[in-house]
Amino acid sequence: MFEKILNFLSEDIAIDLGTANSEVYVRGRGIVLQEPSVVAINQKTGQILAVGLEAKKMVGRTPSHIVAIRPLRHGVISDFETTEQMLKYFIEKARRKKIIGPRVIVGVPLGVTEVEKKAVLDAAKSAGAREVFLIEEPMAAAIGARLPVQEPTGHFIVDIGGGTAEVAVISLGGIVLGKSIKVAGDKLNEDIIRFVQEEYKLLIGERMAETVKIAIGSAYPLKERKQFPVRGRNLVTGLPEEILISDEEVRKAMEKSINQIINEIKEALDETPPELLADIMSNGIYLTGGGALLRGLDILIKKETKIPVKIVEDPLTAVVRGAGMVLENLDELREVLIQTKELEPPK
């Protein structure tokens, strides 16, 4: 009875704390927040000036003493205090009832260490959470894609975010096999920056690289040739310059990293138990995360694995939707959460 009163007075929250972007789901209201995982800090005073969208606008456009940083690297906390402030901002912005601290479910990458788990738990509690639960992102993505994860059937999930690409085989409410590599959206941006620098002697920023990737990036040859104007600084003359880059060049720039993701998928398929592999051949491979939106990636994976590939509906929000569904049905879906000391049954 007391627990029901607490739940009524608080607004429970699910957070997909991503390397590039974070999404927040509030129980009973759905997704209420989608903002970049960026914090702007005044280094002279240590004061946090902006978080999320406002902070991202400052990237590359601030005086030397103001820095816009991303406190998560490869999906895990690299700057504890800044992450805590960012979480606090997201939780405060999402809540309407502020009588009692919320229960919070946070999506974390596969294979996080005990130290990394503790960092997330501590950061969320310091940010005002009453209770904190963790869920592995591929599991949350599978639930968000409305796959029957608790049934004895194999489901193959590929979740490509900003910092990590994660591959998981899920059955009976657990991850049977999981792999994670630090090659994802951010690495593809770096590949484009390096290519433009080497081929055209042009220095471009991360935002420009991401714009190019979204505009004409592809993993498989397109039916129509595309070009996109790229602006930067000529490293020889030191002057501003604009060039036209083609989809073929961008594909060439990202090819090595995309092949690394595909090799990870092949390795996971090779290690999957035969019975589950038979299910996967029938059900297909499910793509989630922002990387799923890269043109032709599904076609290339299908060609390389000979297995049907499906991009889940709204892949960017699959993880937070899944974490939100666990939040709405915590008693029924508690088994899919990561076992931490908080979840261990009393002795």
Side-chain angles (χ1 to χ4, degrees):
M1 182 67 183
F2 180 65
E3 186 65 26
K4 284 183 179 178
I5 294 167
L6 282 178
N7 293 344
F8 177 76
L9 292 173
S10 74
E11 280 187 306
D12 294 343
I13 292 171
I15 302 173
D16 174 15
L17 204 57
T19 305
N21 296 288
S22 293
E23 285 100 21
V24 180
Y25 178 108
V26 177
R27 184 166 55 90
R29 284 167 55 202
I31 299 168
V32 297
L33 216 60
Q34 287 177 275
E35 295 205 26
S37 304
V38 182
V39 180
I41 297 175
N42 184 330
Q43 286 191 313
K44 286 181 181 176
T45 62
Q47 181 189 358
I48 288 179
L49 302 176
V51 178
L53 207 54
E54 289 302 311
K56 189 171 184 181
K57 288 176 186 174
M58 296 181 184
V59 173
R61 294 174 174 162
T62 60
S64 58
H65 67 280
I66 295 173
V67 291
I69 64 167
R70 283 161 55 171
L72 292 112
R73 283 283 160 212
H74 306 301
V76 296
I77 293 173
S78 61
D79 184 326
F80 181 82
E81 287 180 12
T82 311
T83 303
E84 184 188 315
Q85 291 299 319
M86 187 172 75
L87 267 172
K88 199 168 191 171
Y89 168 83
F90 289 146
I91 290 171
E92 287 297 311
K93 195 170 179 182
R95 291 169 70 203
R96 287 189 302 206
K97 297 176 186 174
K98 299 187 180 179
I99 302 167
I100 291 170
R103 289 188 299 182
V104 175
I105 293 180
V106 183
V108 294
L110 273 173
V112 288
T113 64
E114 288 302 318
V115 172
E116 289 161 350
K117 284 180 199 173
K118 190 173 186 310
V120 177
L121 290 167
D122 289 349
K125 284 204 164 178
S126 300
R130 180 173 97 247
E131 268 185 291
V132 188
F133 306 102
L134 305 179
I135 185 168
E136 284 161 317
E137 285 162 359
M139 175 62 82
I143 295 167
R146 298 192 177 276
L147 299 180
V149 296
Q150 290 176 302
E151 291 180 9
T153 308
H155 301 288
F156 196 98
I157 294 282
V158 180
D159 181 35
I160 306 169
T164 57
E166 301 182 327
V167 178
V169 177
I170 293 169
S171 179
L172 277 170
I175 292 176
V176 178
L177 177 80
K179 287 181 172 289
S180 178
I181 55 168
K182 292 168 182 178
V183 177
D186 287 351
K187 181 67 170 67
L188 299 180
N189 293 345
E190 288 168 21
D191 293 340
I192 294 168
I193 291 169
R194 191 179 300 111
F195 178 85
V196 172
Q197 193 168 326
E198 288 172 0
E199 290 291 314
Y200 293 98
K201 301 293 180 282
L202 196 71
L203 184 65
I204 63 170
E206 196 177 318
R207 285 181 70 180
M208 185 79 247
E210 189 169 4
T211 303
V212 169
K213 180 180 73 179
I214 292 167
I216 61 169
S218 65
Y220 196 78
L222 303 173
K223 288 178 183 175
E224 288 182 26
R225 196 166 182 266
K226 289 174 179 275
Q227 287 187 313
F228 192 80
V230 179
R231 299 182 186 95
R233 185 173 77 242
N234 187 303
L235 290 167
V236 178
T237 66
L239 297 172
E241 189 181 326
E242 182 180 297
I243 58 149
L244 276 178
I245 192 168
S246 70
D247 63 281
E248 192 178 341
E249 289 175 301
V250 176
R251 196 161 51 252
K252 183 184 170 186
M254 302 189 298
E255 187 177 31
K256 189 179 175 185
S257 294
I258 289 168
N259 285 339
Q260 280 182 270
I261 294 170
I262 287 171
N263 287 338
E264 197 72 9
I265 292 168
K266 286 179 177 177
E267 280 182 29
L269 287 169
D270 186 47
E271 293 172 26
T272 301
E275 292 295 333
L276 295 178
L277 190 59
D279 294 336
I280 291 160
M281 288 174 74
S282 171
N283 297 331
I285 292 169
Y286 291 87
L287 282 186
T288 73
L293 299 172
L294 185 67
R295 294 172 190 83
L297 183 60
D298 53 333
I299 300 167
L300 184 62
I301 294 171
K302 183 181 177 183
K303 186 185 173 192
E304 291 288 331
T305 62
K306 309 290 188 288
I307 295 173
V309 178
K310 301 164 188 174
I311 300 170
V312 308
E313 187 185 343
D314 194 6
L316 273 168
T317 62
V319 171
V320 78
R321 285 202 319 271
M325 287 164 75
V326 175
L327 196 64
E328 303 276 3
N329 304 281
L330 200 53
D331 292 337
E332 295 85 4
L333 292 170
R334 191 172 283 260
E335 66 181 44
V336 304
L337 298 168
I338 296 175
Q339 284 295 319
T340 60
K341 285 182 179 178
E342 296 198 7
L343 284 179
E344 286 173 7
K347 290 176 183 176

